[in-house]
Amino acid sequence: MTKEHKESPESNESEYKSLNFIEQKVEKDLEDGKNGGRVHFRFPPEPNGFLHIGHAKSIVLNFGLAEKYGGKCNLRFDDTNPAKESTEYVDSIKEDIHWLGFDWEDREYYASDYFEKLYEMAVKLIKKGKAYVCELTGEQIKEYRGTPTVPGKESPYRNRSVEENLDLFERMRNGEFEDGTKMLRAKIDMASPNMHMRDPIMYRIRRYHHHRTGDKWCIYPMYDFAHGQSDFIEKITHSLCTLEFEVHRPLYDWFLDNIAEPGEDRPEQTEFARLNLSYTIMSKRRLLELVENSYVDGWDDPRMPTISGFRRRGFTPESIRNFSEQVGIAKRDNVIDVAKLEHSVREDLNKKAPRVMAVLDPVKVIIDNYPEGKVEELELINNPEDESMGSRKVPFSREIYIERNDFMEDPPRKFFRMGPGREVRLKGAYIVKCENYVKDAEGNIREIHCTYDPHSKSGEDTSGKKVKGTLHWVSASHGFKAEVRQYDRLFNDPAPASHKDRDFKDFINPESLKVLENCVLEPSLKDAKPEDKFQFQRLGYFVVDRYAAQGKPVFNRTVPLRDNWSKRAKQK
Ligand code: ATP
Ligand code: MG
């Protein structure tokens, strides 16, 4: 690929320009023959929660680059902080990456598998006089650190001999000291303008049970030490991370300067802007809060911004991958409108989802001049966007259901749906005229009486009538009742976590879930299987809940057909 650019720069100019800055760097490195022409990436989740849509972006970036440049991408669990980690999270992470369509082959790694190697690397630093065992308390560490404008003070333990440090570090490992009483620190520069370079902590004593190493270790490496060295051990070439790690980069390089031998391949860290989405919370701590306090029904609640939540909501892997690619890679933080993600799933399902009829809030219509007991099997095409999806038979009879809000007793002129004396087409069937209606004691419409024009059948209409409205419907005796969960955005504020003095949970949208129990669906949907996706005509996209019982589908709304949030936002 790189060669192509060189040989015919003109013809490939636009392609070259459209490369993002990370691709440009990768291509330059390939051109320079860096790392022997290898490219190797990794996706390094901490197993302390489910993956969210921000992680999806990182997955698409890392695995995508590996695919594009014929390299590899490892899955590495960054499991160095056992307090919050678990195998439940490990399993969910693997399932989500596979669902997105990526594969790490046999390269499933754990930072915890490197504890021994990391320990040896720390010993190497001690031997070089580049690390020391410190006994300051947490309080004192803070005090000694200084501030960005005031240099820190050196620890009184900083100039211990190599022998003493080696002895103490080994005894730390052997469990001779209480939690928190000693730590290993890198010996860098307490006056550095970069706070991360002021003798950062490398190891702490913590008697935690680790989900993989059990009680073998009572000292655990800090993220900054473990991460870069894990990259080095795995021979990663490009270590991509989000912008907040930019200030950690000098430390990332400092460790490798002191650990890698001359001539060895070394990973390089490159930062990109994390994905932020409007109306969405992405911090795992806050997502956990929603789960633990039952604001939602688990990590994979269809309103959660987790990959498993989107899956249960009916999003396709393609819609998430396309979205991630379309928003691109930026060097500065920004916020992407969640409407873009919703657009992406509409675009995908528009082509893939069969279009069917479902009435969510039914009211009965009786066609008085249609013969009692007669049933016509009407042929309806499944998706005009894709002829290969074929057609299906939909029964039509004297009594049908339509949507309650498709009828008005006293409609305005421009209401092109049903009203007294008005004519509308029933989708794929006949033109009907509303003759009268009956109300119950509370004043609700109980049934609507119509007549139909036998010459107006769809596809063979000789009635000469022109009607503006077309309604969806379901035959009353053929349709079946099902539960539909009408999901909407979880927050009704574009930036729920940005308000000072307000908790993000104050902005939970009380209408984010409406359970509709009396919906009537066309009979073909009875055979729908978990995760089958449909367009309910005029209403939106819906998916059969993954956990619905066989033969008893529950449908989750993925998105309505059109975005009605941007309009709302403008009206405010
Ligand atoms: P959180 O802050 O939500 O807890 P994290 O960054 O601590 O997320 P990790 O499990 O450490 O979670 O993340 C794994 C990888 O995913 C990291 O490389 C991280 O940079 C990347 N990542 C996390 N959030 C985003 C995001 N919003 N956009 C892009 N990449 C992200
Ligand atoms: Mg992290």
Side-chain angles (χ1 to χ4, degrees), residues 44 46 223 245 284:
E46 182 179 356
Y223 174 88
F245 290 100
K284 277 191 250 176

Side-chain angles (χ1 to χ4, degrees), residues 148-194:
T149 48
V150 178
K153 272 194 302 187
E154 295 191 347
S155 160
Y157 306 99
R158 199 173 199 259
N159 295 313
R160 282 182 148 144
S161 69
V162 168
E163 289 67 35
E164 193 182 1
N165 281 318
L166 284 173
D167 175 59
L168 287 172
F169 188 48
E170 190 178 342
R171 289 165 61 196
M172 277 170 66
R173 173 187 181 155
N174 292 342
E176 289 187 31
F177 309 116
E178 293 292 303
D179 283 16
T181 55
K182 290 189 174 49
M183 62 198 90
L184 186 73
R185 296 177 73 179
K187 192 169 175 177
I188 310 180
D189 177 6
M190 287 307 291
S192 170
N194 182 337

Side-chain angles (χ1 to χ4, degrees), residues 72-103:
K72 289 179 180 155
C73 183
N74 296 354
L75 169 60
R76 181 196 320 138
F77 290 99
D78 218 326
D79 56 349
T80 53
N81 182 14
K84 294 178 185 165
E85 297 164 359
S86 80
T87 43
E88 181 207 350
Y89 294 138
V90 167
D91 294 342
S92 75
I93 288 169
K94 292 200 284 187
E95 184 177 352
D96 289 347
I97 299 173
H98 275 155
W99 180 76
L100 278 176
F102 296 106
D103 190 23

Side-chain angles (χ1 to χ4, degrees), residues 419-446:
R422 297 201 182 183
E423 288 186 313
V424 289
R425 173 169 296 282
L426 297 172
K427 176 84 190 169
Y430 297 95
I431 294 175
V432 292
K433 181 174 178 190
C434 172
E435 305 289 352
N436 55 60
Y437 54 96
V438 181
K439 288 202 212 179
D440 64 16
E442 279 112 57
N444 299 313
I445 307 291
R446 206 180 63 202

